[in-house]
Amino acid sequence: FDAKCYLQHYFELAAVGAKLHQYVSLFSQFPDDSMTMLNYGGGPDLLPLLYAAHKIKGYVHADYAPNNLREVENWTTGDPSAFNWQRHLGYCLELESRGESVERREKRMREVIKAVVHCDMMAEQIIRKEYQGPYDYVICSGVLDSVCQSTESFSTAVKRLSDLVKVGGYLHIEMSYGTDENKCSGCYEVGGIVYKTVLSVTKAQIIDTIKAQGFRIMHVLQYVDDCEETAGYKDNAVMVVGRKD
């Protein structure tokens, strides 16, 4: 998996703008320095950390692919070959109107990263014991529609993620979805290789599965994951955030 190609194709500001506005709104409710966050299956994507860095006191980034972990580690250590998040940071700070510099936010992001670790949703232990939390906020974006083969395995995966969330904490899932008439899910291309999501579920099924694990739904955003210009595809996606009661 080519992490740099993925970032260059799918993380142009025009492609992720709608989601970024939602991140600012979501994380604004939390006091500064108040929460722990796990980005489960985060790939090389640091957007959640970028938008929540001032709210976080501890962040763990987990992914299955070594190339993705290496990309995050390279950025963390200031390696000049790593993806440059400064344009996204500038946009974030403009939305927040905090009067904070890009350099200061970058410094904060690196300070709160506690670990960059391997995870595997299909393993008996989906993340090493010392990183099982529980956390205040667990985000899992673009993962479950790729690794779950059926609605049953999807329910199991949501249960496993739920176990990582403390009572009163939040589970944040983003994934592609279909409709009752057309349950086709998404696909994306990286470096000439087409990756297809394998799970076909409706938005209602996603929400109901999260609710079944004891979460009160706090936020639902339906959006088009529009990377047609840079990557040649559009995909229906949904962001669902639930609070664990």
Side-chain angles (χ1 to χ4, degrees):
F1 186 86
D2 190 331
K4 283 188 173 59
C5 183
Y6 174 72
L7 290 169
Q8 290 164 359
H9 275 74
Y10 293 98
F11 284 80
E12 286 294 322
L13 281 175
V16 296
K19 190 159 66 171
L20 304 188
H21 280 268
Q22 295 299 315
Y23 280 0
V24 170
S25 175
L26 280 171
F27 297 134
S28 65
Q29 65 183 295
F30 298 99
D32 287 0
D33 305 313
S34 65
M35 66 175 178
T36 54
M37 176 182 282
L38 169 65
N39 189 352
Y40 189 93
D45 175 12
L46 290 175
L47 285 180
L49 173 62
L50 186 154
Y51 278 79
H54 55 296
K55 306 294 184 177
I56 295 172
K57 57 186 178 182
Y59 173 90
V60 173
H61 192 99
D63 197 70
Y64 178 82
N67 285 351
N68 289 337
L69 297 174
R70 191 175 305 114
E71 173 65 25
V72 174
E73 289 169 343
N74 286 346
W75 183 88
T76 301
T77 59
D79 188 323
S81 71
F83 186 75
N84 188 346
W85 291 99
Q86 289 196 345
R87 285 186 62 216
H88 299 76
L89 278 164
Y91 184 67
C92 166
L93 295 171
E94 182 180 327
L95 290 176
E96 290 178 354
S97 302
R98 287 175 63 93
E100 186 179 356
S101 70
V102 167
E103 292 74 19
R104 183 176 178 184
R105 178 61 63 88
E106 279 190 316
K107 182 175 183 291
R108 174 67 180 175
M109 288 170 67
R110 291 186 170 102
E111 287 174 347
V112 299
I113 295 175
K114 303 304 180 186
V116 179
V117 300
H118 175 78
C119 67
D120 183 354
M121 180 56 76
M122 296 296 104
E124 183 175 343
Q125 184 172 274
I126 67 171
I127 191 170
R128 288 193 343 233
K129 188 173 182 179
E130 60 265 40
Y131 300 113
Q132 290 178 5
Y135 296 87
D136 297 295
Y137 205 100
V138 173
I139 181 168
C140 184
S141 178
V143 176
L144 301 185
D145 47 1
S146 297
V147 302
C148 298
Q149 303 285 330
S150 64
T151 53
E152 291 77 15
S153 62
F154 174 58
S155 296
T156 298
V158 173
K159 169 65 168 65
R160 289 176 160 190
L161 290 172
S162 171
D163 291 341
L164 305 177
V165 182
K166 65 174 59 173
V167 175
Y170 296 80
L171 178 61
H172 174 145
I173 290 176
E174 295 182 41
M175 58 187 291
S176 61
Y177 71 94
T179 65
D180 287 325
E181 295 77 25
N182 179 19
K183 289 190 177 182
C184 63
S185 46
C187 67
Y188 59 98
E189 180 268 332
V190 178
I193 301 173
V194 175
Y195 297 86
K196 292 185 177 181
T197 57
V198 294
L199 179 67
S200 186
V201 289
T202 66
K203 182 175 66 175
Q205 285 176 303
I206 296 168
I207 292 171
D208 288 345
T209 301
I210 295 171
K211 289 170 66 175
Q213 295 302 324
F215 287 87
R216 180 161 38 98
I217 303 302
M218 308 298 293
H219 181 85
V220 177
L221 171 69
Q222 176 181 329
Y223 61 95
V224 176
D225 202 356
D226 186 356
C227 295
E228 191 163 37
E229 289 189 11
T230 58
Y233 92 106
K234 287 186 178 181
D235 191 21
N236 288 325
V238 66
M239 173 194 300
V240 182
V241 182
R243 187 177 188 272
K244 190 173 188 178
D245 290 330

